[in-house]
Amino acid sequence: METPRISVVIPVYNEEGNLPELFRELTEVLEKLSVSFEIIFIDDGSKDRSGAILRGFALQDGRVRIIFFQKNFGQSAAFAAGFRSARGEIVVTMDADLQNDPHDIPLLLDKITSYDMVCGWRVHRQDSLVRKISSRIANKIRNWLSDEQIKDVGCSLKAFRRECLRNFYYFKGMHRFFPTLMKIEGCSVTEVKVNHRPRRFGEAKYGIGNRAFRGLIDLLAVRWMKKRHLSYEVKEIVNG
Ligand code: UDP
Ligand code: MG
């Protein structure tokens, strides 16, 4: 298979109800773009029929690749595995639950010509009030402590130039800091408004409890990384 230009990376954890529609919508959008692509699904230890459904996609379409995790390792691990196996010059990430809209992908690709990373910003979030409020608070604290101005870091719909993904330090929870981690490496980041849809099938995997505390620790680590990032400029090398 020739090297695709775009790799779409999608973590999947118990999303059987969403996958057929996601695959249909996504391939339709990508085919219209007339660029080569691959779709990498990472099955993060699903216990429902997600794995079997994904195998079905791969059988019918050679552009689909699947990474099966031994057990549930979490979304950051799934993204890391996807990034490492992606071959496209541009990597697009999204959720598998149909909350992100594949029709926004062309918008992201449009912007990635001038930036190293493009983040989706869910202007009209379709989540519970508790989720919306807790995310708003989390975004505020995160921006404050890491000296950032990212409006919606929790949106998985993002595009990256793959060469920029090689450098930063991979850790659990990193997906909540992608824009900052990219900027630390000197990459340019922008945001675009994207659509957001309510979850129709399956359950949300996160609540406040499993996010807030760990998120804070990670935030302090990222703050440290940003402050202590090692940089230097060489003026001259002799006998190098
Ligand atoms: N997910 C995953 N591993 C996990 C938890 C979630 O791969 O341990 C996937 C999930 O299937 C979905 C995405 O990550 O594609 C986001 O999860 P979810 O929709 O539950 O998060 P929310 O939209 O509530 O932030
Ligand atoms: Mg979701």
Side-chain angles (χ1 to χ4, degrees), residues 76-77 79-80 83-84 163-185 217-218 221-226 229:
S76 282
F79 279 133
F83 291 165
R84 286 177 177 137
E163 53 176 312
C164 300
L165 291 169
R166 261 183 291 206
N167 299 328
F168 67 75
Y169 178 71
Y170 286 8
F171 62 93
K172 271 188 197 170
M174 66 174 182
H175 62 278
R176 299 196 184 101
F177 301 94
F178 278 151
T180 309
L181 296 169
M182 292 285 281
K183 284 189 198 171
I184 289 176
E185 295 302 333
I217 305 278
D218 293 344
V222 171
R223 180 186 158 90
W224 177 88
M225 276 186 218
K226 192 171 169 178
H229 182 69

Side-chain angles (χ1 to χ4, degrees), residues 49-89:
R49 294 195 60 257
S50 294
I53 295 169
L54 293 176
R55 279 184 204 280
F57 299 159
L59 266 179
Q60 76 182 67
D61 190 333
R63 297 168 299 190
V64 173
R65 299 163 60 206
I66 319 167
I67 298 170
F68 284 99
F69 274 180
Q70 198 69 255
K71 61 182 178 72
N72 181 243
F73 284 101
Q75 214 178 335
S76 282
F79 279 133
F83 291 165
R84 286 177 177 137
S85 97
R87 294 173 299 182
E89 197 183 319

Side-chain angles (χ1 to χ4, degrees), residues 8-15 19 22 39-46 50 54 67 69 72 74-83 92-98 100 156 175 178 199 205-206:
V8 184
V9 168
I10 311 181
V12 176
Y13 183 47
N14 297 340
E15 302 287 4
L19 291 174
L22 171 73
I39 306 174
I40 306 175
F41 290 103
I42 301 90
D43 183 358
D44 186 15
S46 294
S50 294
L54 293 176
I67 298 170
F69 274 180
N72 181 243
Q75 214 178 335
S76 282
F79 279 133
F83 291 165
V92 173
T93 55
M94 65 187 294
D95 285 345
D97 61 358
L98 290 171
N100 295 136
S156 290
H175 62 278
F178 278 151
R199 195 186 245 283
K205 276 81 195 176
Y206 305 105

